[in-house]
Amino acid sequence: MAIPEDVTGNEIDADVRQELKSLPKTLADDVARNLVMVARLLDTEPEEAYKYSRVALRLASRVASVREAAGFASYMTQRYSEALTEFRASRRMTGRADLWPVMADCERGLGRPERALAMAGEPEVKQLDKAGQVEMRLVTAGARADLGQFDAAVVTLQSPELASNAVHPWTARLRYAYADALIAADRADEARDWFAKAAEADPEGSTNASERLAEIDGLEFVDALDPEAAEEEERELDSEEERPAPRAARLAHDDGENEVIFEDDEDVEEYYDEDDLEMEEADEAEIGRAMRERDERD
């Protein structure tokens, strides 16, 4: 696959660069450049990132960082079986436990929440740092929800990290997940407060906590920078305004009644449907008949 000329491969982390030193220099540079493209595209164009990850995997399948990158590219494109294979391979090579939560989430993606719950009780969880433990808690709560155990999902997320007022990179996601679990457990009143707390901890909008909060409050969230949304809003406002009948002029009379005057027969056909015209013609015929009978009597 084509790689932009400005991508040199030097952009990757020093740890990854160190791993690639086991390869011939030219090969290491090619792998590094593909890994840079994976990192650049993973969040915005995951399918493209996946393609670059497969190239890197084909070139250097025995490098742990390559297997990990391929795993995340597969995970982001919902290829959970492939992702699990790559994460397991990377873990065997490094012995690290930091991929344990995402491996458990792959089990959820494969429709096996029970396995994710089993992984939550394994010794590897104790090896995780604080961020990893929070991530594992999120996956466990998700697995409970998958099984319809919504109250258990709420309890799973109740933790010192949730109760803390300190804001960490994972705070917004934890509060958002808790609010979502409360909604599923029919505790919407409590959920509103937690969506608000999630929004406070998420100034960059990595979650849609603000939109969920507005939805609960009955407000419609409109992106002011979205021209399509602005046009739609303008159309809705226009549709609410009262418009006169097509090409008609309303004249006020002394008796307080209004009469609609049309310029030609076409206007009548535009404003009335065929049934209306037939009824009016029948009324006119009846009126004419009544006037003739009156003249005859006179």
Side-chain angles (χ1 to χ4, degrees):
M1 294 183 62
I3 297 177
E5 293 182 2
D6 65 318
V7 176
T8 65
N10 294 323
E11 300 88 343
I12 62 175
D13 293 340
D15 292 344
V16 179
R17 170 62 68 180
Q18 186 64 34
E19 281 190 73
L20 295 179
K21 284 186 177 181
S22 62
L23 303 173
K25 187 178 186 311
T26 302
L27 179 59
D29 289 343
D30 287 343
V31 173
R33 295 179 72 211
N34 278 282
L35 291 180
V36 171
M37 294 305 298
V38 173
R40 281 190 177 185
L41 299 171
L42 192 60
D43 291 332
T44 57
E45 299 180 59
E47 282 293 341
E48 290 300 307
Y50 175 79
K51 294 175 184 177
Y52 284 105
S53 76
R54 303 314 287 184
V55 174
L57 187 62
R58 187 171 65 251
L59 296 174
S61 61
R62 295 185 180 181
V63 176
S65 295
V66 171
R67 302 301 290 266
E68 182 176 333
F72 276 109
S74 298
Y75 176 77
M76 291 294 287
T77 55
Q78 300 183 9
R79 294 175 170 92
Y80 298 116
S81 182
E82 285 184 24
L84 196 53
T85 297
E86 302 307 332
F87 289 142
R88 284 172 175 167
S90 178
R91 184 170 177 275
R92 283 195 302 270
M93 294 175 181
T94 63
R96 302 196 323 261
D98 55 316
L99 293 174
W100 198 251
V102 71
M103 290 169 63
D105 206 36
C106 285
E107 295 287 5
R108 286 185 60 211
L110 291 169
R112 302 190 296 236
E114 298 89 346
R115 292 194 186 184
L117 291 177
M119 291 178 69
E122 294 294 330
E124 285 81 357
V125 176
K126 295 181 180 179
Q127 301 175 32
L128 298 171
D129 60 12
K130 181 63 69 177
Q133 290 176 4
V134 170
E135 196 66 36
M136 194 70 225
R137 194 178 289 276
L138 289 168
V139 173
T140 304
R144 292 291 184 191
D146 293 342
L147 294 169
Q149 301 171 4
F150 303 119
D151 290 328
V154 170
V155 173
T156 298
L157 293 169
Q158 292 172 345
S159 62
E161 293 81 16
L162 180 68
S164 174
N165 290 324
V167 176
H168 301 279
W170 36 261
T171 300
R173 291 179 58 238
L174 180 59
R175 293 176 179 177
Y176 183 94
Y178 187 60
D180 213 27
L182 288 169
I183 289 285
D186 293 328
R187 295 164 62 178
D189 291 341
E190 297 173 69
R192 188 205 176 283
D193 293 337
W194 283 100
F195 277 129
K197 291 179 180 179
E200 289 175 4
D202 188 19
E204 296 182 359
S206 60
T207 70
N208 67 336
S210 296
E211 290 89 331
R212 295 291 297 275
L213 181 62
E215 181 181 331
I216 291 174
D217 290 341
L219 303 175
E220 184 177 356
F221 184 85
V222 177
D223 186 353
L225 300 179
D226 184 354
E228 293 184 4
E231 289 176 6
E232 179 64 25
E233 184 180 14
E234 185 177 348
R235 284 196 295 270
E236 290 177 359
L237 290 174
D238 288 343
S239 66
E240 293 175 0
E241 296 179 359
E242 185 176 351
R243 293 183 175 82
R247 299 176 64 189
R250 294 186 175 274
L251 303 180
H253 292 264
D254 293 339
D255 57 5
E257 296 180 356
N258 289 329
E259 178 183 355
V260 180
I261 300 178
F262 295 92
E263 296 179 8
D264 50 43
D265 293 339
E266 251 180 51
D267 295 334
V268 176
E269 292 174 2
E270 288 179 7
Y271 191 64
Y272 294 107
D273 59 25
E274 293 181 358
D275 291 339
D276 291 333
L277 293 174
E278 290 176 359
M279 290 176 61
E280 288 191 0
E281 290 173 356
D283 290 342
E284 290 177 1
E286 184 64 31
I287 292 171
R289 190 180 306 110
M291 292 180 65
R292 285 194 297 275
E293 291 177 356
R294 186 190 61 184
D295 293 342
E296 290 174 358
R297 285 197 302 271
D298 294 341

